[in-house]
Amino acid sequence: MSTGNEERILEVRDLKVHFPVAKGILFKRHIGDIKAVDGISFHAHRGETVGLVGESGCGKSTTGLAILRMLPVTAGEIIFEGENIANYTKTEMRSVRRRMQMIYQDPFGSLNPRMSIATIVGEPLVVHDMAGSRAEFDERIAELLEIVGLDPAMRGRYPHEFSGGQRQRIGIARALAVNPDFIVCDEPVSALDVSIQAQVINILEELQERLGLTYLFIAHDLAVVRHISDRIVVMYLGKIVESASRLDLYHEPKHPYTKALLAAVPIPNPRAEAAREHIFLEGEVPSPLNPPSGCHFHPRCPYVTDRCRTEEPEIKQAANGHSVACHLFD
């Protein structure tokens, strides 16, 4: 959770990630761009957790990968600890990479099955010339495994010998190996059982408090995001539609899409569930290759107006840092 530090460790400005699409076998013809991320801006203070939520295909994971420069950036700025890394080369990114790491969604596919746990966790140390002597290397591996709640005696085992929750702990240990300042958590608990999800979330919170980490927590489960995040950014079809503190967003959502997402989260109280407003979205998320004109959400919005179909809304600031991109709040 937030430490109250107002220093911005990350600032994303008008970030765009487009993928060109070509048609044809011999003579490929450019037919358009998939606008996976289309001009988003947000920031993260040092020591806080920013939740990034939205339906599948809205551009959440692409945003995380672009921030880490694991995908090419079409336009915009990524200011990390005072440096604009949006156009850094691979060589220039090497010095930055140690300070920003990632925890992947799939604890089964993100670990090399042919490598032992000690090799997996220690690989970043070798890559960044931080391994030291053999004794120092072994001591660091043992320390990392203990931090995430694993027995260092299991260091010689392989990924298939561990459960899903244990594998995700190994992924967390690998991300922590090089002492990063910022970690992108790309749906780190979505593939785990509910009871195991709580354990992993608790580990992440304890590590944040202990090591002063900053998280970009990507998820579609709003209950999980509510528990761990300080501020929440809501994305829809490559654009940010609303952002606010955790309490403001859950108590006073302003955008119809945010209200629909929250309405889909069940409340374990029949009376409260029956009394609250429900917004049911029809249809599917439009294609980012050919997004709707005006507000991207207008084909599914129950409050759509003619203006929504033709004019794209700008992000408007409300009280307490709450912002929303919707014509209903002019």
Side-chain angles (χ1 to χ4, degrees), residues 174-253:
R174 177 176 58 185
L176 293 174
V178 290
N179 297 318
D181 299 314
F182 173 74
I183 298 179
V184 174
C185 306
D186 186 13
E187 305 211 33
V189 298
S190 63
L192 306 177
D193 293 338
V194 175
S195 59
I196 306 302
Q197 287 183 7
Q199 295 176 16
V200 173
I201 292 297
N202 289 337
I203 288 173
L204 291 174
E205 290 183 326
E206 291 169 5
L207 291 172
Q208 182 176 48
E209 184 175 351
R210 177 176 175 179
L211 303 175
L213 298 170
T214 305
Y215 294 141
L216 176 64
F217 194 91
I218 300 169
H220 62 270
D221 188 334
L222 288 169
V224 172
V225 173
R226 180 177 188 174
H227 180 77
I228 194 172
S229 300
D230 298 297
R231 289 186 301 111
I232 299 174
V233 176
V234 183
M235 283 189 71
Y236 183 80
L237 202 62
K239 292 186 176 291
I240 290 176
V241 297
E242 187 168 2
S243 64
S245 69
R246 173 187 57 180
L247 295 179
D248 282 347
L249 191 86
Y250 279 85
H251 292 161
E252 286 190 67

Side-chain angles (χ1 to χ4, degrees), residues 94 97-98 101 115-134 136-138 140-141 144 173-174 176-179:
R94 186 176 179 84
R97 191 78 66 194
R98 190 191 66 76
Q101 290 289 306
M115 295 169 62
S116 69
I117 300 310
T119 306
I120 290 172
V121 174
E123 187 176 27
L125 297 173
V126 176
V127 170
H128 291 279
D129 299 322
M130 300 172 62
S133 66
R134 184 66 196 185
E136 292 172 334
F137 179 81
D138 290 342
R140 178 60 174 160
I141 299 301
L144 289 166
R174 177 176 58 185
L176 293 174
V178 290
N179 297 318

Side-chain angles (χ1 to χ4, degrees), residues 86-102:
N87 298 311
Y88 271 21
T89 64
K90 289 184 178 180
T91 303
E92 292 172 320
M93 276 302 299
R94 186 176 179 84
S95 62
V96 182
R97 191 78 66 194
R98 190 191 66 76
R99 293 177 279 154
M100 50 198 322
Q101 290 289 306
M102 187 169 193

Side-chain angles (χ1 to χ4, degrees), residues 26-192:
L26 296 177
F27 303 98
K28 293 189 179 294
R29 177 170 54 89
H30 182 254
I31 61 172
D33 293 323
I34 294 178
K35 299 177 180 178
V37 178
D38 197 23
I40 67 171
S41 300
F42 67 94
H43 65 272
H45 294 125
R46 188 177 293 277
E48 77 168 348
T49 300
V50 176
L52 187 60
V53 302
E55 292 174 283
S56 296
C58 71
K60 307 184 302 296
S61 294
T62 302
T63 299
L65 292 170
I67 289 172
L68 295 177
R69 292 303 320 282
M70 297 170 72
L71 286 176
V73 173
T74 304
E77 296 180 316
I78 303 170
I79 312 297
F80 178 69
E81 293 188 330
E83 305 174 55
N84 182 11
I85 64 173
N87 298 311
Y88 271 21
T89 64
K90 289 184 178 180
T91 303
E92 292 172 320
M93 276 302 299
R94 186 176 179 84
S95 62
V96 182
R97 191 78 66 194
R98 190 191 66 76
R99 293 177 279 154
M100 50 198 322
Q101 290 289 306
M102 187 169 193
I103 300 170
Y104 295 90
Q105 175 180 1
D106 183 8
F108 302 95
S110 61
L111 304 179
N112 190 329
R114 297 185 178 184
M115 295 169 62
S116 69
I117 300 310
T119 306
I120 290 172
V121 174
E123 187 176 27
L125 297 173
V126 176
V127 170
H128 291 279
D129 299 322
M130 300 172 62
S133 66
R134 184 66 196 185
E136 292 172 334
F137 179 81
D138 290 342
E139 183 180 351
R140 178 60 174 160
I141 299 301
E143 179 187 7
L144 289 166
L145 293 177
E146 286 180 348
I147 284 176
V148 297
L150 293 175
D151 186 350
M154 299 189 293
R155 61 200 301 158
R157 298 184 184 180
Y158 290 81
H160 72 273
E161 300 179 72
F162 294 87
S163 67
Q166 289 175 321
R167 293 186 199 190
Q168 196 58 290
R169 290 171 189 246
I170 294 166
I172 295 172
R174 177 176 58 185
L176 293 174
V178 290
N179 297 318
D181 299 314
F182 173 74
I183 298 179
V184 174
C185 306
D186 186 13
E187 305 211 33
V189 298
S190 63
L192 306 177

